[in-house]
mmCIF file of all heavy atoms in Angstrom:
data_model
loop_
_atom_site.group_PDB
_atom_site.id
_atom_site.type_symbol
_atom_site.label_atom_id
_atom_site.label_comp_id
_atom_site.label_asym_id
_atom_site.label_seq_id
_atom_site.Cartn_x
_atom_site.Cartn_y
_atom_site.Cartn_z
ATOM 1 N N SER A 1 0.843 -1.194 -0.043
ATOM 2 C CA SER A 1 0.054 0.007 -0.024
ATOM 3 C C SER A 1 0.817 1.279 -0.011
ATOM 4 O O SER A 1 2.053 1.222 0.423
ATOM 5 C CB SER A 1 -0.995 0.061 1.148
ATOM 6 O OG SER A 1 -0.172 0.179 2.418
ATOM 7 N N LEU A 2 0.241 2.302 -0.452
ATOM 8 C CA LEU A 2 0.885 3.670 -0.532
ATOM 9 C C LEU A 2 0.023 4.649 0.237
ATOM 10 O O LEU A 2 -1.177 4.463 0.337
ATOM 11 C CB LEU A 2 1.057 4.139 -1.887
ATOM 12 C CG LEU A 2 1.771 3.145 -2.919
ATOM 13 C CD1 LEU A 2 1.690 3.797 -4.334
ATOM 14 C CD2 LEU A 2 3.168 2.882 -2.557
ATOM 15 N N SER A 3 0.645 5.742 0.666
ATOM 16 C CA SER A 3 -0.186 6.891 1.119
ATOM 17 C C SER A 3 -0.975 7.470 -0.034
ATOM 18 O O SER A 3 -0.621 7.189 -1.188
ATOM 19 C CB SER A 3 0.707 7.904 1.706
ATOM 20 O OG SER A 3 1.542 8.533 0.821
ATOM 21 N N ALA A 4 -1.853 8.376 0.280
ATOM 22 C CA ALA A 4 -2.578 9.074 -0.800
ATOM 23 C C ALA A 4 -1.616 9.838 -1.758
ATOM 24 O O ALA A 4 -1.929 10.013 -2.868
ATOM 25 C CB ALA A 4 -3.649 10.073 -0.140
ATOM 26 N N GLU A 5 -0.511 10.308 -1.180
ATOM 27 C CA GLU A 5 0.511 11.057 -1.945
ATOM 28 C C GLU A 5 1.360 10.081 -2.751
ATOM 29 O O GLU A 5 2.287 10.618 -3.524
ATOM 30 C CB GLU A 5 1.294 11.903 -0.983
ATOM 31 C CG GLU A 5 0.415 12.985 -0.374
ATOM 32 C CD GLU A 5 -0.329 12.510 0.818
ATOM 33 O OE1 GLU A 5 -0.001 11.458 1.486
ATOM 34 O OE2 GLU A 5 -1.424 13.126 1.115
ATOM 35 N N GLY A 6 1.340 8.750 -2.568
ATOM 36 C CA GLY A 6 2.141 7.908 -3.328
ATOM 37 C C GLY A 6 3.456 7.409 -2.630
ATOM 38 O O GLY A 6 4.296 6.724 -3.163
ATOM 39 N N GLU A 7 3.533 7.717 -1.340
ATOM 40 C CA GLU A 7 4.654 7.240 -0.621
ATOM 41 C C GLU A 7 4.416 5.820 0.018
ATOM 42 O O GLU A 7 3.278 5.458 0.361
ATOM 43 C CB GLU A 7 4.989 8.110 0.556
ATOM 44 C CG GLU A 7 5.457 9.553 0.165
ATOM 45 C CD GLU A 7 6.726 9.597 -0.639
ATOM 46 O OE1 GLU A 7 7.580 8.664 -0.409
ATOM 47 O OE2 GLU A 7 6.797 10.321 -1.632
ATOM 48 N N PRO A 8 5.438 4.938 -0.022
ATOM 49 C CA PRO A 8 5.219 3.539 0.583
ATOM 50 C C PRO A 8 4.662 3.650 2.026
ATOM 51 O O PRO A 8 5.250 4.326 2.836
ATOM 52 C CB PRO A 8 6.616 2.959 0.567
ATOM 53 C CG PRO A 8 7.352 3.706 -0.556
ATOM 54 C CD PRO A 8 6.826 5.081 -0.466
ATOM 55 N N LEU A 9 3.587 2.818 2.215
ATOM 56 C CA LEU A 9 2.928 2.831 3.514
ATOM 57 C C LEU A 9 3.168 1.513 4.072
ATOM 58 O O LEU A 9 3.711 1.419 5.246
ATOM 59 C CB LEU A 9 1.462 3.078 3.243
ATOM 60 C CG LEU A 9 0.660 3.445 4.548
ATOM 61 C CD1 LEU A 9 1.175 4.791 5.117
ATOM 62 C CD2 LEU A 9 -0.893 3.640 4.188
ATOM 63 N N SER A 10 2.889 0.435 3.441
ATOM 64 C CA SER A 10 3.189 -0.996 3.853
ATOM 65 C C SER A 10 4.022 -1.569 2.766
ATOM 66 O O SER A 10 3.642 -1.702 1.591
ATOM 67 C CB SER A 10 1.955 -1.776 4.068
ATOM 68 O OG SER A 10 2.321 -3.140 4.283
ATOM 69 N N THR A 11 5.330 -1.944 3.077
ATOM 70 C CA THR A 11 6.164 -2.467 2.111
ATOM 71 C C THR A 11 6.255 -4.044 2.063
ATOM 72 O O THR A 11 6.991 -4.707 1.454
ATOM 73 C CB THR A 11 7.683 -1.934 2.343
ATOM 74 O OG1 THR A 11 8.000 -2.370 3.658
ATOM 75 C CG2 THR A 11 7.665 -0.439 2.195
ATOM 76 N N ARG A 12 5.326 -4.656 2.873
ATOM 77 C CA ARG A 12 5.187 -6.108 2.849
ATOM 78 C C ARG A 12 4.965 -6.573 1.432
ATOM 79 O O ARG A 12 4.278 -5.907 0.625
ATOM 80 C CB ARG A 12 4.148 -6.602 3.843
ATOM 81 C CG ARG A 12 2.759 -6.307 3.498
ATOM 82 C CD ARG A 12 1.811 -6.665 4.556
ATOM 83 N NE ARG A 12 1.479 -8.067 4.686
ATOM 84 C CZ ARG A 12 1.503 -8.863 5.725
ATOM 85 N NH1 ARG A 12 1.813 -8.186 6.876
ATOM 86 N NH2 ARG A 12 1.219 -10.082 5.750
ATOM 87 N N LYS A 13 5.400 -7.857 1.124
ATOM 88 C CA LYS A 13 5.270 -8.419 -0.131
ATOM 89 C C LYS A 13 4.172 -9.535 -0.008
ATOM 90 O O LYS A 13 4.537 -10.611 0.471
ATOM 91 C CB LYS A 13 6.550 -9.000 -0.692
ATOM 92 C CG LYS A 13 7.593 -7.954 -0.832
ATOM 93 C CD LYS A 13 7.253 -6.925 -1.955
ATOM 94 C CE LYS A 13 8.221 -5.680 -1.922
ATOM 95 N NZ LYS A 13 9.637 -5.996 -2.115
ATOM 96 N N GLN A 14 2.968 -9.202 -0.281
ATOM 97 C CA GLN A 14 1.868 -10.185 -0.219
ATOM 98 C C GLN A 14 1.787 -10.924 -1.571
ATOM 99 O O GLN A 14 1.535 -10.205 -2.569
ATOM 100 C CB GLN A 14 0.576 -9.574 0.213
ATOM 101 C CG GLN A 14 -0.507 -10.427 0.666
ATOM 102 C CD GLN A 14 -0.326 -10.615 2.143
ATOM 103 O OE1 GLN A 14 0.153 -9.767 2.877
ATOM 104 N NE2 GLN A 14 -0.765 -11.917 2.587
ATOM 105 N N VAL A 15 1.923 -12.130 -1.602
ATOM 106 C CA VAL A 15 2.004 -12.930 -2.904
ATOM 107 C C VAL A 15 0.582 -12.710 -3.608
ATOM 108 O O VAL A 15 0.624 -12.639 -4.885
ATOM 109 C CB VAL A 15 2.227 -14.336 -2.660
ATOM 110 C CG1 VAL A 15 2.247 -15.180 -3.959
ATOM 111 C CG2 VAL A 15 3.743 -14.471 -2.155
ATOM 112 N N TYR A 16 -0.411 -12.613 -2.920
ATOM 113 C CA TYR A 16 -1.768 -12.260 -3.656
ATOM 114 C C TYR A 16 -1.616 -10.985 -4.517
ATOM 115 O O TYR A 16 -2.149 -10.987 -5.592
ATOM 116 C CB TYR A 16 -2.766 -12.154 -2.498
ATOM 117 C CG TYR A 16 -4.180 -11.875 -2.887
ATOM 118 C CD1 TYR A 16 -5.139 -12.891 -2.898
ATOM 119 C CD2 TYR A 16 -4.626 -10.601 -3.121
ATOM 120 C CE1 TYR A 16 -6.421 -12.554 -3.218
ATOM 121 C CE2 TYR A 16 -5.963 -10.376 -3.469
ATOM 122 C CZ TYR A 16 -6.858 -11.366 -3.420
ATOM 123 O OH TYR A 16 -8.143 -11.116 -3.741
ATOM 124 N N ALA A 17 -1.041 -9.991 -3.857
ATOM 125 C CA ALA A 17 -0.910 -8.811 -4.615
ATOM 126 C C ALA A 17 0.092 -8.826 -5.772
ATOM 127 O O ALA A 17 -0.123 -8.260 -6.967
ATOM 128 C CB ALA A 17 -0.438 -7.612 -3.675
ATOM 129 N N LEU A 18 1.163 -9.569 -5.662
ATOM 130 C CA LEU A 18 2.089 -9.843 -6.729
ATOM 131 C C LEU A 18 1.432 -10.553 -7.827
ATOM 132 O O LEU A 18 1.678 -10.283 -9.089
ATOM 133 C CB LEU A 18 3.320 -10.638 -6.249
ATOM 134 C CG LEU A 18 4.181 -9.988 -5.078
ATOM 135 C CD1 LEU A 18 5.538 -10.721 -4.855
ATOM 136 C CD2 LEU A 18 4.467 -8.507 -5.347
ATOM 137 N N ALA A 19 0.582 -11.555 -7.528
ATOM 138 C CA ALA A 19 -0.094 -12.270 -8.552
ATOM 139 C C ALA A 19 -1.076 -11.326 -9.368
ATOM 140 O O ALA A 19 -1.123 -11.426 -10.490
ATOM 141 C CB ALA A 19 -0.935 -13.374 -7.841
ATOM 142 N N PHE A 20 -1.789 -10.499 -8.709
ATOM 143 C CA PHE A 20 -2.634 -9.498 -9.355
ATOM 144 C C PHE A 20 -1.828 -8.551 -10.234
ATOM 145 O O PHE A 20 -2.280 -8.115 -11.314
ATOM 146 C CB PHE A 20 -3.540 -8.812 -8.465
ATOM 147 C CG PHE A 20 -4.823 -9.576 -8.277
ATOM 148 C CD1 PHE A 20 -5.133 -10.255 -7.032
ATOM 149 C CD2 PHE A 20 -5.868 -9.627 -9.253
ATOM 150 C CE1 PHE A 20 -6.376 -10.950 -6.949
ATOM 151 C CE2 PHE A 20 -7.054 -10.362 -9.173
ATOM 152 C CZ PHE A 20 -7.237 -10.907 -7.951
ATOM 153 N N ALA A 21 -0.667 -8.206 -9.787
ATOM 154 C CA ALA A 21 0.199 -7.389 -10.616
ATOM 155 C C ALA A 21 0.636 -8.163 -11.886
ATOM 156 O O ALA A 21 0.603 -7.540 -12.910
ATOM 157 C CB ALA A 21 1.411 -6.930 -9.855
ATOM 158 N N ILE A 22 0.925 -9.383 -11.800
ATOM 159 C CA ILE A 22 1.232 -10.229 -12.955
ATOM 160 C C ILE A 22 -0.012 -10.261 -13.815
ATOM 161 O O ILE A 22 0.135 -10.130 -14.989
ATOM 162 C CB ILE A 22 1.609 -11.632 -12.634
ATOM 163 C CG1 ILE A 22 3.064 -11.625 -11.900
ATOM 164 C CG2 ILE A 22 1.699 -12.515 -13.816
ATOM 165 C CD1 ILE A 22 3.533 -12.947 -11.380
ATOM 166 N N TYR A 23 -1.181 -10.434 -13.351
ATOM 167 C CA TYR A 23 -2.420 -10.567 -14.000
ATOM 168 C C TYR A 23 -2.648 -9.225 -14.764
ATOM 169 O O TYR A 23 -2.957 -9.240 -16.031
ATOM 170 C CB TYR A 23 -3.611 -10.830 -13.135
ATOM 171 C CG TYR A 23 -4.859 -11.296 -13.650
ATOM 172 C CD1 TYR A 23 -4.886 -12.384 -14.623
ATOM 173 C CD2 TYR A 23 -6.032 -10.842 -13.390
ATOM 174 C CE1 TYR A 23 -6.075 -12.853 -15.127
ATOM 175 C CE2 TYR A 23 -7.256 -11.173 -13.867
ATOM 176 C CZ TYR A 23 -7.188 -12.209 -14.779
ATOM 177 O OH TYR A 23 -8.437 -12.671 -15.393
ATOM 178 N N GLY A 24 -2.547 -8.118 -14.234
ATOM 179 C CA GLY A 24 -2.727 -6.850 -14.812
ATOM 180 C C GLY A 24 -1.661 -6.501 -15.830
ATOM 181 O O GLY A 24 -1.989 -6.123 -16.986
ATOM 182 N N LEU A 25 -0.394 -6.757 -15.478
ATOM 183 C CA LEU A 25 0.633 -6.417 -16.488
ATOM 184 C C LEU A 25 0.641 -7.277 -17.698
ATOM 185 O O LEU A 25 0.901 -6.831 -18.835
ATOM 186 C CB LEU A 25 2.086 -6.593 -15.694
ATOM 187 C CG LEU A 25 2.340 -5.498 -14.644
ATOM 188 C CD1 LEU A 25 3.432 -5.991 -13.781
ATOM 189 C CD2 LEU A 25 2.751 -4.192 -15.387
ATOM 190 N N SER A 26 0.405 -8.582 -17.524
ATOM 191 C CA SER A 26 0.344 -9.624 -18.734
ATOM 192 C C SER A 26 -0.857 -9.215 -19.606
ATOM 193 O O SER A 26 -0.770 -9.229 -20.791
ATOM 194 C CB SER A 26 0.327 -10.930 -18.217
ATOM 195 O OG SER A 26 -0.893 -11.170 -17.343
ATOM 196 N N GLU A 27 -1.926 -8.682 -18.975
ATOM 197 C CA GLU A 27 -3.107 -8.332 -19.794
ATOM 198 C C GLU A 27 -2.788 -6.979 -20.522
ATOM 199 O O GLU A 27 -3.188 -6.784 -21.608
ATOM 200 C CB GLU A 27 -4.329 -8.118 -18.916
ATOM 201 C CG GLU A 27 -5.627 -7.945 -19.719
ATOM 202 C CD GLU A 27 -6.058 -9.215 -20.365
ATOM 203 O OE1 GLU A 27 -5.548 -10.295 -20.204
ATOM 204 O OE2 GLU A 27 -6.929 -9.075 -21.319
ATOM 205 N N PHE A 28 -2.038 -6.035 -19.869
ATOM 206 C CA PHE A 28 -1.574 -4.883 -20.487
ATOM 207 C C PHE A 28 -0.682 -5.186 -21.646
ATOM 208 O O PHE A 28 -0.773 -4.537 -22.772
ATOM 209 C CB PHE A 28 -0.919 -3.944 -19.510
ATOM 210 C CG PHE A 28 -0.559 -2.655 -19.994
ATOM 211 C CD1 PHE A 28 -1.501 -1.692 -20.368
ATOM 212 C CD2 PHE A 28 0.778 -2.161 -20.266
ATOM 213 C CE1 PHE A 28 -1.116 -0.403 -20.816
ATOM 214 C CE2 PHE A 28 1.081 -1.025 -20.669
ATOM 215 C CZ PHE A 28 0.158 -0.060 -20.999
ATOM 216 N N TYR A 29 0.090 -6.171 -21.491
ATOM 217 C CA TYR A 29 1.013 -6.581 -22.601
ATOM 218 C C TYR A 29 0.114 -7.165 -23.749
ATOM 219 O O TYR A 29 0.430 -6.815 -24.992
ATOM 220 C CB TYR A 29 2.015 -7.607 -22.252
ATOM 221 C CG TYR A 29 2.871 -8.164 -23.321
ATOM 222 C CD1 TYR A 29 3.860 -7.381 -23.888
ATOM 223 C CD2 TYR A 29 2.498 -9.328 -23.908
ATOM 224 C CE1 TYR A 29 4.565 -7.809 -25.010
ATOM 225 C CE2 TYR A 29 3.202 -9.837 -24.962
ATOM 226 C CZ TYR A 29 4.323 -9.063 -25.534
ATOM 227 O OH TYR A 29 5.064 -9.429 -26.675
ATOM 228 N N ARG A 30 -0.899 -7.974 -23.492
ATOM 229 C CA ARG A 30 -1.791 -8.456 -24.404
ATOM 230 C C ARG A 30 -2.469 -7.291 -25.241
ATOM 231 O O ARG A 30 -2.723 -7.501 -26.470
ATOM 232 C CB ARG A 30 -2.762 -9.290 -23.853
ATOM 233 C CG ARG A 30 -2.323 -10.645 -23.179
ATOM 234 C CD ARG A 30 -3.515 -11.493 -22.697
ATOM 235 N NE ARG A 30 -4.331 -12.050 -23.791
ATOM 236 C CZ ARG A 30 -5.506 -12.611 -23.546
ATOM 237 N NH1 ARG A 30 -6.148 -12.582 -22.377
ATOM 238 N NH2 ARG A 30 -6.067 -13.148 -24.595
ATOM 239 N N ALA A 31 -2.700 -6.240 -24.535
ATOM 240 C CA ALA A 31 -3.454 -5.159 -25.263
ATOM 241 C C ALA A 31 -2.515 -4.204 -25.986
ATOM 242 O O ALA A 31 -2.961 -3.682 -26.977
ATOM 243 C CB ALA A 31 -4.188 -4.321 -24.086
ATOM 244 N N THR A 32 -1.229 -4.108 -25.597
ATOM 245 C CA THR A 32 -0.360 -3.060 -26.072
ATOM 246 C C THR A 32 0.912 -3.561 -26.684
ATOM 247 O O THR A 32 1.663 -2.774 -27.359
ATOM 248 C CB THR A 32 -0.058 -1.975 -25.007
ATOM 249 O OG1 THR A 32 0.791 -2.645 -23.956
ATOM 250 C CG2 THR A 32 -1.253 -1.389 -24.474
ATOM 251 N N HIS A 33 1.278 -4.746 -26.292
ATOM 252 C CA HIS A 33 2.661 -5.359 -26.684
ATOM 253 C C HIS A 33 3.755 -4.439 -26.122
ATOM 254 O O HIS A 33 4.836 -4.321 -26.714
ATOM 255 C CB HIS A 33 2.721 -5.433 -28.213
ATOM 256 C CG HIS A 33 1.716 -6.349 -28.709
ATOM 257 N ND1 HIS A 33 1.669 -7.702 -28.580
ATOM 258 C CD2 HIS A 33 0.619 -6.128 -29.525
ATOM 259 C CE1 HIS A 33 0.632 -8.212 -29.183
ATOM 260 N NE2 HIS A 33 -0.076 -7.281 -29.758
ATOM 261 N N ASN A 34 3.515 -3.901 -24.952
ATOM 262 C CA ASN A 34 4.504 -3.130 -24.307
ATOM 263 C C ASN A 34 5.499 -4.125 -23.647
ATOM 264 O O ASN A 34 5.217 -4.828 -22.742
ATOM 265 C CB ASN A 34 3.878 -2.264 -23.200
ATOM 266 C CG ASN A 34 4.817 -1.389 -22.314
ATOM 267 O OD1 ASN A 34 5.823 -1.866 -21.869
ATOM 268 N ND2 ASN A 34 4.490 -0.129 -22.286
ATOM 269 N N GLU A 35 6.745 -4.127 -24.094
ATOM 270 C CA GLU A 35 7.700 -5.108 -23.661
ATOM 271 C C GLU A 35 8.162 -4.879 -22.254
ATOM 272 O O GLU A 35 8.529 -5.808 -21.551
ATOM 273 C CB GLU A 35 8.948 -5.060 -24.649
ATOM 274 C CG GLU A 35 8.744 -5.511 -26.089
ATOM 275 C CD GLU A 35 8.445 -6.932 -26.188
ATOM 276 O OE1 GLU A 35 8.864 -7.765 -25.227
ATOM 277 O OE2 GLU A 35 7.777 -7.405 -27.179
ATOM 278 N N GLU A 36 8.096 -3.646 -21.698
ATOM 279 C CA GLU A 36 8.454 -3.466 -20.379
ATOM 280 C C GLU A 36 7.484 -4.058 -19.448
ATOM 281 O O GLU A 36 7.827 -4.563 -18.373
ATOM 282 C CB GLU A 36 8.614 -1.885 -20.099
ATOM 283 C CG GLU A 36 9.755 -1.292 -20.808
ATOM 284 C CD GLU A 36 9.922 0.235 -20.412
ATOM 285 O OE1 GLU A 36 9.077 0.767 -19.740
ATOM 286 O OE2 GLU A 36 10.888 0.849 -20.893
ATOM 287 N N ALA A 37 6.223 -4.039 -19.809
ATOM 288 C CA ALA A 37 5.174 -4.681 -19.086
ATOM 289 C C ALA A 37 5.393 -6.106 -18.917
ATOM 290 O O ALA A 37 5.260 -6.806 -17.866
ATOM 291 C CB ALA A 37 3.814 -4.354 -19.555
ATOM 292 N N LEU A 38 5.780 -6.790 -20.097
ATOM 293 C CA LEU A 38 6.045 -8.236 -20.202
ATOM 294 C C LEU A 38 7.255 -8.551 -19.238
ATOM 295 O O LEU A 38 7.235 -9.466 -18.425
ATOM 296 C CB LEU A 38 6.275 -8.626 -21.553
ATOM 297 C CG LEU A 38 6.690 -10.124 -21.664
ATOM 298 C CD1 LEU A 38 5.608 -11.012 -21.151
ATOM 299 C CD2 LEU A 38 6.896 -10.444 -23.187
ATOM 300 N N GLY A 39 8.296 -7.687 -19.393
ATOM 301 C CA GLY A 39 9.507 -7.870 -18.476
ATOM 302 C C GLY A 39 9.215 -7.832 -17.052
ATOM 303 O O GLY A 39 9.702 -8.507 -16.243
ATOM 304 N N ALA A 40 8.265 -6.830 -16.659
ATOM 305 C CA ALA A 40 7.928 -6.704 -15.258
ATOM 306 C C ALA A 40 7.159 -7.935 -14.785
ATOM 307 O O ALA A 40 7.383 -8.424 -13.681
ATOM 308 C CB ALA A 40 7.017 -5.442 -15.089
ATOM 309 N N SER A 41 6.305 -8.475 -15.630
ATOM 310 C CA SER A 41 5.568 -9.647 -15.334
ATOM 311 C C SER A 41 6.549 -10.804 -15.052
ATOM 312 O O SER A 41 6.383 -11.593 -14.072
ATOM 313 C CB SER A 41 4.651 -10.032 -16.496
ATOM 314 O OG SER A 41 3.705 -9.098 -16.817
ATOM 315 N N GLN A 42 7.544 -10.982 -15.853
ATOM 316 C CA GLN A 42 8.489 -11.976 -15.761
ATOM 317 C C GLN A 42 9.305 -11.892 -14.452
ATOM 318 O O GLN A 42 9.609 -12.772 -13.875
ATOM 319 C CB GLN A 42 9.419 -11.960 -16.983
ATOM 320 C CG GLN A 42 8.716 -12.362 -18.267
ATOM 321 C CD GLN A 42 9.468 -12.028 -19.495
ATOM 322 O OE1 GLN A 42 10.321 -11.222 -19.521
ATOM 323 N NE2 GLN A 42 9.187 -12.711 -20.644
#
């Protein structure tokens, strides 16, 4: 989580959240072929 201003609030790594980041980033790659998004998913 982040503060409203975008500063790290909780820096814990919850695997549930990392999974959703992969889900979103891989879908963004499917939509745009943005190679950086694919790299971040990997």
